[in-house]
Amino acid sequence: MTRLPKSLIIGAIITAIMVGAALLSRVWTPADPTGMNIVARLKPPGAAGLFGTDQIGRDVLSIIMAGAWTSLGIAVVATVIGGGIGTLLGVTAAAKGGRLERLVMSFNGVLFAFPPILSAILLGALLGPGALTSIIAIGIFMVPVFARVTRAAAIQIWARDYINAARMAGKGDARITMEHVLPNISAQIIVQLAIQTGLGILSEAGLSFLGMGVSPPTPSWGRMLSESQTFLDAAPHLVLAPGLAIAITVLGLNLLGDGLRDLTDPRRGQNG
Amino acid sequence: MMLEINDLRVAFQRRNHPPTQVIHGLSLSLERGQTLGIVGESGSGKSVMSLATMGLLPATATATGSIMFEGRDILTMPERDLCKLRGNRMGMIFQEPMTALNPAMRVGAQIAEGLILHKGISRAAARTEALHLLEMVQIPRAAERIDSFPHEMSGGQRQRVGIAIALALKPDLLIADEPTTALDVTVQAEVLDILDDLVTDLGISLILISHDLGVIARIADRTLVMYRGDMMEEGPTERVLRQPGHDYTRKLLDAMPRRVRASLGGA
Amino acid sequence: MTQAFKRLRGLAGAVMVLAVTSLLIFVLIDAAPGDPAEIMLGTSAQADTLAALRTELGLDRPLMVRYLGWLAGVFTGDLGQSYTYGVPVAGLIGERMLVTLPLTLMATVLAVAVSLPLGVMAAARPGKAGDGLASLFSQVGIAVPNFWIGLLLILGFALNLTWFPVGGFPGWGDGFWAALWSLVLPAIALAIPQAAVLTRVTRAAVIEVTNEDFIRTARAKGLSRRRALWRHTVPNSLLPVVTMLGLQIPFLISGAVLVENVFSLPGIGTLAYQALSQRDLIVVQNVVLLFAVIVLAVNAGTDALYARLDPRLRARK
């Protein structure tokens, strides 16, 4: 039994804590994340609640927990949908080659020109802000990322001898892709899912910081930061808590992705 | 003696394992102007020995014994002094001409680099000398090829550039590690002849490492046979080939095609 | 296939991508709710005045005609009039670029200036203290949102230490240094995540090249470890670094929108964001196209730069 990479263990623990907090917030938080209390406003950490209170007296820890659900939820859904479409495009391009492959890669080029914030500005004009806009905007950018990675990986698999053997046996492109290509590139896909979910969290935070994410009163880390700007001097804890929550979650997912990569591809172990 | 190696032992550290020794006590001596052939199959420690002599063993290797070059021990010499020796007093030619040259640098500049470094001459003077060296290793149309990138040259030409780099400063000692192995059979002889002529003309001591007894027989005065990090035998080339003193040498000879063996004039 | 044909096909591909991109933007913006005439004249305007303005703006023409008209305008520099500012969009964008361009440029220079030495240092002695520091920096730098870094920088260096302005931009007319000074904190905020990614890529690339045969050749020539590193290893490691610089452009643009917002800089990101909230859709449309063109152009430029860095690729072009 080989030893698990350190980054995998740390990343898995951080991710588990964040996911746990997000799930827990659905049934229990220390206080009501939407409950105002003007008397206890802008209290520093410890004075009221573990992380203090915000400008209208809400418990910061509770909003952070509820915000984890929003951030992780949007990032995961966007990554899975965008990643799924991208993977489909990538493996199809690798299987068919030729004109279709060029078309897919050009399409990729178009999508790549739309980073999440840009798509959100465009979609925001059409749909207005909200969870759906965030998911589509983030998901769109995942498509070319996954298409690129899976196509490169799938092309390598297609060059192997056993693919020829499968072809000789009369199996079609789709069947070979399902039976041989996808299982062999699944490790790379999982690694990307972890890392891109991290990027999704950063994007979601950016969108809600600009007011293009979920609408109030749904708690969100990005909007907490946006609101904290007004009280930067008076209540710096309002800046620290959501920023740390974002950074630690993304760090955890990145470490998890790196660790998984080291585990599945020992040659790249030195990149940890 | 210009080079004297005494009881050289080299071991590599491995992660979570005891170190593996790849050379177990090698001794040899080489006089000025002499050519020593080292023969052995891959994994016999030939290349490690040559890197040790250049002071270029990787950090994971530990070497004991001594490698005396003109009276000073390479193994204990500070890195600064080694840098003054390398390229200047001793040069090396590597096996893979395809990867041994910097792909992003013109060949002329790669030859000139050592000249500028050790002689402190100007770029222009070094370029003139590099051109001369390219002519010396018989690169056709050297004046044009001096500004080529390695990928624009054939394997044989690249290896000639490798020779030019190693000989640029007329070193006292040249180590050639399988210099013709990666080349087409047709150009092997050419490159070998160029090497042999230059070494003789310039009075350079040569250590020629090869797995090919034919190559060794052609130019080596003395021959050393290695097997798995051990020295099997050493002596004048003709004696070693005609009357091998060791079973392993005999096996190597027997492994050669009959016609080649006949051309060696023995066995 | 001849090289000329390949090049032509590459160019045709780029033109196709641009055409699809611009059409996509146009159709989406066109479908967005909000009547430009109503936005310009206000909700209290008379129906016939609105209709007259619509005709004047050409909004009654078919979609494709308006799209082609817009494209023609893009090539002649006439991007139309802003609905809310009432000035030409081209001028508006040009003016805002005077903030965004120096900001992103400064951030990129900073990121490269930090990441190149850091990545090379980490790779030169893998597993040592410097390597640990570099990997900590890249892991943390990738994970922190740049707008949060911006807020922390304001908190530390503008509010507490008062070395820098809290935000805003004095304009280039009122003194070059004051204007530049006001871009320093935003540029740092924008640069840190970029530097983190680049450090990582540089380290991996340098480690890979260090193990190449030609580095041994260089050492055998008598080059010191340091000299071989900078003269032979680093130049050959730049290819993946340049690739990553190109791939990071979308994130640089996204980052600029956020950081400009944090520091209240009148840049192109702020323009897009404000235009969106005021439904000044013609501005949104043109800014989004501009960003998309920049991303695509940088990608094409990266490919061209490859050939300069790796002579082997020139032959294949």
Side-chain angles (χ1 to χ4, degrees):
Chain A
M1 185 66 201
T2 49
R3 279 181 51 207
L4 291 175
K6 216 189 294 172
S7 51
L8 178 67
I9 298 169
I10 301 174
I13 292 173
I14 295 177
T15 308
I17 292 173
M18 287 302 171
V19 172
L23 292 175
L24 182 63
S25 76
R26 305 305 291 164
V27 291
W28 177 83
T29 48
D32 178 5
T34 53
M36 284 194 270
N37 182 359
I38 295 299
V39 187
R41 63 194 288 265
L42 297 176
K43 286 275 192 280
L50 199 55
F51 291 173
T53 58
D54 74 356
Q55 65 278 6
I56 48 173
R58 292 174 298 195
D59 176 42
V60 173
L61 175 61
S62 303
I63 321 179
I64 293 274
M65 284 174 67
W69 174 258
T70 314
S71 283
L72 277 167
I74 287 176
V76 167
V77 172
T79 310
V80 168
I81 294 175
I85 297 173
T87 303
L88 189 70
L89 286 175
V91 295
T92 312
K96 297 289 181 193
R99 192 168 295 175
L100 183 81
E101 187 172 21
R102 278 203 299 279
L103 192 73
V104 168
M105 295 327 279
S106 302
F107 178 62
N108 250 356
V110 174
L111 292 186
F112 190 70
F114 291 92
I117 300 263
L118 217 52
S119 319
I121 290 176
L122 205 54
L123 288 168
L126 193 65
L127 305 172
L132 185 66
T133 303
S134 299
I135 288 173
I136 299 176
I138 298 167
I140 281 178
F141 198 70
M142 298 292 176
V143 173
V145 172
F146 276 84
R148 192 181 298 225
V149 170
T150 53
R151 172 176 161 267
I155 282 176
Q156 283 185 8
I157 304 295
W158 275 98
R160 297 203 181 150
D161 285 340
Y162 59 78
I163 297 287
N164 271 331
R167 252 205 201 135
M168 299 290 194
K171 292 182 184 170
D173 288 344
R175 185 134 174 239
I176 294 177
T177 298
M178 291 306 291
E179 285 178 10
H180 297 285
V181 178
L182 277 177
N184 276 299
I185 65 171
S186 59
Q188 276 128 303
I189 297 176
I190 292 169
V191 167
Q192 280 304 316
L193 279 175
I195 292 174
Q196 296 304 327
T197 303
L199 275 180
I201 300 239
L202 281 176
S203 297
E204 194 282 327
L207 293 183
S208 48
F209 181 78
L210 289 177
M212 295 191 282
V214 292
S215 328
T218 312
S220 117
W221 292 343
R223 203 177 49 252
M224 288 173 81
L225 280 175
S226 167
E227 286 166 359
S228 78
Q229 287 186 93
T230 326
F231 311 97
L232 213 48
D233 228 356
H237 68 274
L238 291 181
V239 186
L240 290 179
L244 281 173
I246 297 167
I248 291 173
T249 311
V250 179
L251 185 70
L253 283 162
N254 282 342
L255 287 173
L256 184 66
D258 287 351
L260 285 170
R261 169 152 47 205
D262 290 351
L263 193 68
T264 52
D265 186 3
R267 274 181 299 114
R268 300 193 51 171
Q270 58 191 5
N271 282 339
Chain B
M1 265 324 131
M2 94 160 313
L3 180 72
E4 201 160 358
I5 298 180
N6 275 309
D7 195 31
L8 175 69
R9 289 162 196 274
V10 181
F12 282 89
Q13 290 157 8
R14 290 178 303 165
R15 212 180 273 177
N16 310 325
H17 288 282
T20 8
Q21 203 174 55
V22 293
I23 296 181
H24 329 284
L26 175 82
S27 302
L28 63 86
S29 56
L30 185 66
E31 279 174 55
R32 191 170 291 276
Q34 227 185 21
T35 296
L36 172 72
I38 299 184
V39 69
E41 47 199 21
S42 51
S44 60
K46 300 170 297 184
S47 297
V48 173
M49 175 255 145
S50 60
L51 288 177
T53 310
M54 292 291 291
L56 283 177
L57 283 175
T60 51
T62 40
T64 58
S66 68
I67 302 176
M68 307 302 287
F69 179 76
E70 312 240 282
R72 293 187 67 194
D73 189 355
I74 298 281
L75 294 181
T76 57
M77 201 182 284
E79 177 64 26
R80 274 179 68 99
D81 296 3
L82 276 172
C83 283
K84 283 183 194 146
L85 280 188
R86 283 188 214 118
N88 191 14
R89 308 289 306 280
M90 44 201 221
M92 184 157 179
I93 301 168
F94 297 95
Q95 176 171 351
E96 282 295 336
M98 306 313 268
T99 53
L101 298 179
N102 185 337
M105 210 167 162
R106 296 174 199 280
V107 294
Q110 299 195 45
I111 300 171
E113 192 174 25
L115 291 165
I116 297 168
L117 182 73
H118 292 293
K119 280 190 174 173
I121 57 175
S122 72
R123 203 168 280 266
R127 186 182 159 89
T128 314
E129 218 166 307
L131 181 65
H132 180 67
L133 283 157
L134 281 175
E135 282 163 356
M136 211 169 77
V137 295
Q138 297 172 26
I139 296 262
R141 293 179 293 121
E144 289 167 38
R145 306 300 286 179
I146 191 167
D147 288 323
S148 298
F149 284 102
H151 74 272
E152 295 162 346
M153 296 184 138
S154 68
Q157 285 181 329
R158 284 190 225 187
Q159 196 59 307
R160 289 172 207 215
V161 172
I163 296 175
I165 290 174
L167 290 181
L169 284 123
K170 319 279 183 294
D172 302 301
L173 172 66
L174 179 66
I175 302 174
D177 185 0
E178 304 267 11
T180 57
T181 309
L183 300 180
D184 280 353
V185 190
T186 45
V187 294
Q188 280 188 2
E190 271 172 46
V191 169
L192 213 55
D193 283 342
I194 293 171
L195 190 61
D196 193 19
D197 290 348
L198 289 174
V199 167
T200 314
D201 290 351
L202 300 169
I204 295 173
S205 313
L206 171 69
I207 295 181
L208 178 70
I209 296 169
S210 182
H211 66 284
D212 184 350
L213 273 176
V215 168
I216 300 280
R218 225 172 145 130
I219 49 177
D221 304 316
R222 298 178 68 81
T223 295
L224 185 152
V225 182
M226 280 184 83
Y227 176 67
R228 295 209 171 165
D230 279 316
M231 193 168 97
M232 296 284 109
E233 65 175 313
E234 200 255 23
T237 304
E238 234 185 270
R239 205 274 297 150
V240 172
L241 295 182
R242 275 177 198 269
Q243 296 147 348
H246 204 280
D247 280 349
Y248 177 67
T249 316
R250 240 167 264 136
K251 272 187 198 153
L252 277 181
L253 280 165
D254 287 344
M256 296 180 72
R258 191 188 303 271
R259 203 167 42 77
V260 180
R261 228 183 310 158
S263 72
L264 294 180
Chain C
M1 205 176 293
T2 64
Q3 286 185 11
F5 180 74
K6 261 194 176 164
R7 197 170 300 171
L8 209 65
R9 198 176 70 186
L11 196 69
V15 170
M16 274 294 292
V17 167
L18 273 179
V20 174
T21 308
S22 58
L23 186 63
L24 207 67
I25 295 171
F26 191 83
V27 170
L28 280 175
I29 290 291
D30 189 72
D35 176 6
E38 204 176 292
I39 292 163
M40 289 172 94
L41 295 175
T43 36
S44 55
Q46 298 291 320
D48 52 337
T49 342
L50 285 171
L53 184 60
R54 274 192 213 109
T55 318
E56 196 192 315
L57 291 171
L59 293 173
D60 49 353
R61 294 176 299 165
L63 181 83
M64 274 320 277
V65 174
R66 279 180 290 133
Y67 167 66
L68 291 175
W70 175 48
L71 273 196
V74 168
F75 283 106
T76 53
D78 175 18
L79 304 178
Q81 296 271 323
S82 157
Y83 302 153
T84 51
Y85 295 92
V87 294
V89 177
L92 208 54
I93 288 179
E95 188 185 301
R96 300 300 187 99
M97 278 303 257
L98 288 178
V99 177
T100 304
L101 212 58
L103 172 67
T104 46
L105 217 60
M106 206 157 136
T108 306
V109 170
L110 264 176
V112 172
V114 169
S115 61
L116 203 63
L118 199 59
V120 172
M121 178 188 82
R125 304 227 182 284
K128 295 283 157 55
D131 189 17
L133 194 77
S135 91
L136 185 74
F137 169 72
S138 51
Q139 282 290 4
V140 172
I142 291 169
V144 289
N146 50 22
F147 54 95
W148 186 52
I149 303 176
L151 290 173
L152 294 182
L153 288 174
I154 292 177
L155 191 61
F157 294 101
L159 288 174
N160 284 344
L161 291 171
T162 64
W163 292 351
F164 293 90
V166 174
F169 184 73
W172 295 104
D174 290 1
F176 175 77
W177 294 110
L180 200 67
W181 195 242
S182 68
L183 292 181
V184 171
L185 288 187
I188 294 175
L190 197 52
I192 287 179
Q194 299 283 326
V197 174
L198 290 175
T199 300
R200 205 178 166 154
V201 175
T202 307
R203 176 188 178 275
V206 170
I207 284 183
E208 200 164 321
V209 176
T210 304
N211 295 322
E212 296 264 7
D213 283 354
F214 63 83
I215 300 305
R216 211 173 47 183
T217 309
R219 295 273 287 140
K221 271 184 222 175
L223 267 66
S224 63
R225 199 182 291 277
R226 208 186 160 78
R227 207 176 156 112
L229 180 71
W230 287 103
R231 287 197 44 117
H232 292 269
T233 313
V234 172
N236 279 287
S237 318
L238 289 180
L239 203 59
V241 178
V242 169
T243 311
M244 194 39 91
L245 258 180
L247 288 176
Q248 285 297 103
I249 291 294
F251 296 100
L252 193 68
I253 290 175
S254 302
V257 176
L258 287 159
V259 167
E260 282 173 9
N261 185 288
V262 173
F263 288 89
S264 329
L265 296 177
I268 201 111
T270 320
L271 178 68
Y273 169 71
Q274 282 168 351
L276 175 66
S277 48
Q278 293 161 355
R279 303 214 71 80
D280 195 344
L281 295 181
I282 189 154
V283 173
V284 174
Q285 173 184 326
N286 282 302
V287 169
V288 172
L289 178 72
L290 176 74
F291 280 156
V293 168
I294 291 175
V295 171
L296 294 171
V298 167
N299 276 338
T302 322
D303 287 345
L305 201 60
Y306 272 7
R308 288 203 72 80
L309 287 174
D310 189 343
R312 279 170 298 184
L313 293 173
R314 268 179 235 169
R316 277 187 232 150
K317 277 270 152 180

